[in-house]
Amino acid sequence: MTATAHALIGGTIAASIQNPTIGIPLAAISHPIADMIPHWDFGVGWNRKSKLVLFFQSAADLTFGVILTFLIFGSSTDRLYLFFAILMAEVWDFMQMPYLLFNFKFFPFSTFYRFGHRTNGKAKLPLGILTQVATVAGLILILRSFN
Ligand SMILES: [Zn+2]
């Protein structure tokens, strides 16, 4: 999924589950689970893109996602906890970046790349964005209804 969707999912978990020892691992496992839902992201066609374009698109996606998540949940959630929940929700893709950008095709980056490749459900635009909006909105509705 986009870094924005992963950030919002991590943020929703932190905002809804008070205990970080539960919330942080949940944020971490949310990544591969969310990625199984068919979606589109900037990684699609990464090997046909220039590395610079891929880097800037990924960085913009991440920056936007982190800012949006802090805007939504920052006032109601411990900010350090929120930060780590986002980090853990994203780290799987950070670990692929050296493989994608610098051709570091060795452990551990190759392992994260292969795992990400296998768990990624693909969908074309615009459906591939709608599935993420539905996933994030659905998760917010479900988790926030417990509070
Ligand atoms: Zn991913």
Side-chain angles (χ1 to χ4, degrees):
M1 287 196 169
T2 56
T4 298
H6 285 303
L8 286 169
I9 291 169
T12 310
I13 291 170
S16 312
I17 294 162
Q18 312 304 328
N19 187 344
T21 56
I22 299 168
I24 296 285
L26 269 182
I29 61 163
S30 75
H31 188 113
I33 294 170
D35 271 351
M36 286 176 205
I37 297 163
H39 63 273
W40 173 91
D41 61 39
F42 291 106
V44 171
W46 67 271
N47 44 10
R48 295 186 302 275
K49 264 181 201 177
S50 94
K51 310 248 178 234
L52 208 60
V53 167
L54 179 66
F55 173 79
F56 280 111
Q57 287 177 339
S58 307
D61 182 15
L62 180 66
T63 306
F64 176 76
V66 171
I67 291 172
L68 186 64
T69 305
F70 267 87
L71 283 176
I72 296 174
F73 301 113
S75 56
S76 60
T77 315
D78 180 89
R79 301 226 168 139
L80 193 64
Y81 176 25
L82 189 58
F83 174 80
F84 277 106
I86 295 170
L87 183 70
M88 293 312 287
E90 302 281 2
V91 73
W92 308 69
D93 283 341
F94 295 164
M95 291 300 287
Q96 288 190 47
M97 278 299 159
Y99 182 106
L100 303 181
L101 294 174
F102 310 121
N103 288 317
F104 284 6
K105 299 189 174 179
F106 45 80
F107 181 83
F109 314 114
S110 54
T111 312
F112 277 93
Y113 170 76
R114 275 196 299 272
F115 181 77
H117 193 72
R118 285 196 192 123
T119 51
N120 249 270
K122 288 200 176 85
K124 292 206 169 78
L125 290 170
L127 184 69
I129 287 289
L130 292 177
T131 55
Q132 295 177 76
V133 174
T135 303
V136 171
L139 191 72
I140 291 176
L141 284 176
I142 292 166
L143 283 178
R144 301 306 281 162
S145 66
F146 292 120
N147 289 272

